[in-house]
Amino acid sequence: MVKIEIDSNSGFCFGVVNAIESAERELDKGGALYSLGDLVHNNLEMERLRKMGLRTIERKDFSNLYNNTVLLRAHGEPPSTYEMAERNGITVIDATCPVVLKLQRRIKECYDEIKGSDTQLVIYGKRGHAEVNGLVGQTEGASIVIDNPEDIDMLDFSRAIILFSQTTKPLDGFRQVVEMIKSRMKEGVSFSWFDTICRQVANRLPKIKEFVANHDRVYFVAGVKSSNGRMLFDECKKSNPDTIFISDASEINAPLPPEIHSVGVCGATSTPKWLMEQVAEKIRTMNP
């Protein structure tokens, strides 16, 4: 008999839960509600919300929207978004994750202090990611984004550096970047760094690696657009090579081979529990 286990630590993080609950509360009122970008990087969860009445718009649509209600997702937004909302008579429901909001304020305060100096404000994050765009917006576009350790070549090590991190970046990667910058700073030049990675997300990595190592096969469930999902999947694959990335239960189309006795189901911070439960049920159905 095949043992099937769903990872209790997988699923929506607090920020995503808060954003979805905010959307559901507003949709229950019966009025129109727009979301600036996908509320969560999971197509099936977004389809569920669309059936409730949520309409997703892109930035170009937002600039042409007037006198409506728009929900800002957990990733956060730059100041320009709020300014445009005010000009267009838009009611904002701000579902920015509290961890992201705190980081935005810290970066804004730091930028206001160093503005006009030669200090470089650096953000370790995925270039173009919604959260990073919101963080860069706090600095009037003046911060430098480094996506990986190799990107530090764009920094000037003869000038002071202050480093922050996107909340969902891997902790090991941040520490590597810190050590590499420290080793290249010119003598006497200031380098300050702040570990601003969300621990709810960071702590998932060691836990999920332990989870996948305890199973013969693992199905990792996430949307293809989830950067957190891709990062976690890559790490899971290192701990258990028989880890398979799927977006929904329909991608499982064959019974398990006889040597598989234990199956794990896990996912990203953007993966709903109900979806992982559907995957587990599909495995049970195909392997009675």
Side-chain angles (χ1 to χ4, degrees):
M1 185 174 180
V2 178
K3 175 190 174 185
I4 303 168
E5 182 184 7
I6 298 174
D7 178 26
S8 61
N9 293 302
S10 290
F12 291 154
C13 63
F14 168 78
V16 173
V17 169
N18 177 61
I20 290 174
E21 289 179 348
S22 297
E24 290 172 337
R25 280 195 301 270
E26 190 64 25
L27 290 167
D28 283 343
K29 298 176 184 177
L33 177 63
Y34 295 85
S35 168
L36 182 53
D38 285 345
L39 206 55
V40 58
H41 290 152
N42 188 281
N43 289 340
L44 296 178
E45 179 65 9
M46 285 306 302
E47 182 60 29
R48 183 185 75 85
L49 292 169
R50 274 192 285 272
K51 288 177 179 176
M52 293 180 65
L54 182 68
R55 308 176 199 179
T56 303
I57 57 172
E58 301 303 323
R59 195 156 300 279
K60 64 180 187 300
D61 306 311
F62 181 67
S63 61
N64 295 315
L65 191 69
Y66 296 87
N67 305 315
N68 272 287
T69 302
V70 176
L71 187 143
L72 304 183
R73 54 193 179 169
H75 298 305
E77 288 290 327
S80 59
T81 298
Y82 297 89
E83 293 164 4
M84 183 174 291
E86 187 172 354
R87 287 197 302 269
N88 291 8
I90 291 171
T91 300
V92 169
I93 298 176
D94 196 344
T96 302
C97 171
V99 177
V100 174
L101 196 59
K102 181 180 178 181
L103 176 55
Q104 286 185 345
R105 290 170 179 157
R106 288 184 68 180
I107 288 178
K108 173 76 164 60
E109 290 170 1
C110 178
Y111 174 68
D112 287 344
E113 288 177 7
I114 66 171
K115 190 175 180 180
S117 72
D118 66 351
T119 299
Q120 302 161 93
L121 196 157
V122 182
I123 298 170
Y124 172 55
K126 184 178 180 182
R127 199 172 289 106
H129 187 279
E131 180 190 329
V132 174
N133 291 342
L135 299 177
V136 172
Q138 309 304 317
T139 69
E140 301 176 320
S143 51
I144 302 169
V145 177
I146 56 172
D147 205 332
N148 53 65
E150 291 72 31
D151 284 347
I152 71 167
D153 286 337
M154 68 176 69
L155 304 180
D156 182 350
F157 301 102
S158 65
R159 294 163 52 202
I161 293 174
I162 300 176
L163 175 69
F164 293 91
S165 176
Q166 177 184 349
T167 62
T168 54
K169 271 297 210 178
L171 192 54
D172 287 348
F174 178 74
R175 288 170 175 162
Q176 183 182 0
V177 166
V178 169
E179 292 305 314
M180 290 178 69
I181 294 176
K182 282 170 66 176
S183 70
R184 295 180 61 178
M185 293 299 294
K186 301 296 183 184
E187 187 175 351
V189 179
S190 171
F191 171 42
S192 304
W193 63 93
F194 301 95
D195 175 0
T196 50
I197 293 170
C198 174
R199 284 305 183 264
Q200 188 181 3
V201 175
N203 290 340
R204 285 195 177 186
L205 186 52
K207 290 178 180 178
I208 204 169
K209 290 175 75 170
E210 181 181 352
F211 174 82
V212 301
N214 290 329
H215 295 283
D216 299 327
R217 171 173 292 180
V218 172
Y219 288 97
F220 186 93
V221 191
V224 294
K225 294 192 291 184
S226 171
S227 57
N228 170 258
R230 182 55 59 182
M231 181 274 290
L232 286 176
F233 170 72
D234 290 343
E235 292 299 324
C236 288
K237 194 83 172 171
K238 295 175 186 176
S239 296
N240 185 338
D242 198 359
T243 300
I244 300 170
F245 188 103
I246 61 173
S247 293
D248 65 77
S250 66
E251 296 177 44
I252 301 174
N253 48 32
L256 294 166
E259 66 270 18
I260 301 295
H261 303 290
S262 175
V263 177
V265 179
C266 57
T269 56
S270 56
T271 305
K273 286 284 188 184
W274 62 261
L275 184 54
M276 288 184 282
E277 289 166 357
Q278 280 188 358
V279 168
E281 184 57 34
K282 180 70 175 289
I283 298 168
R284 289 190 194 98
T285 302
M286 299 197 72
N287 300 275

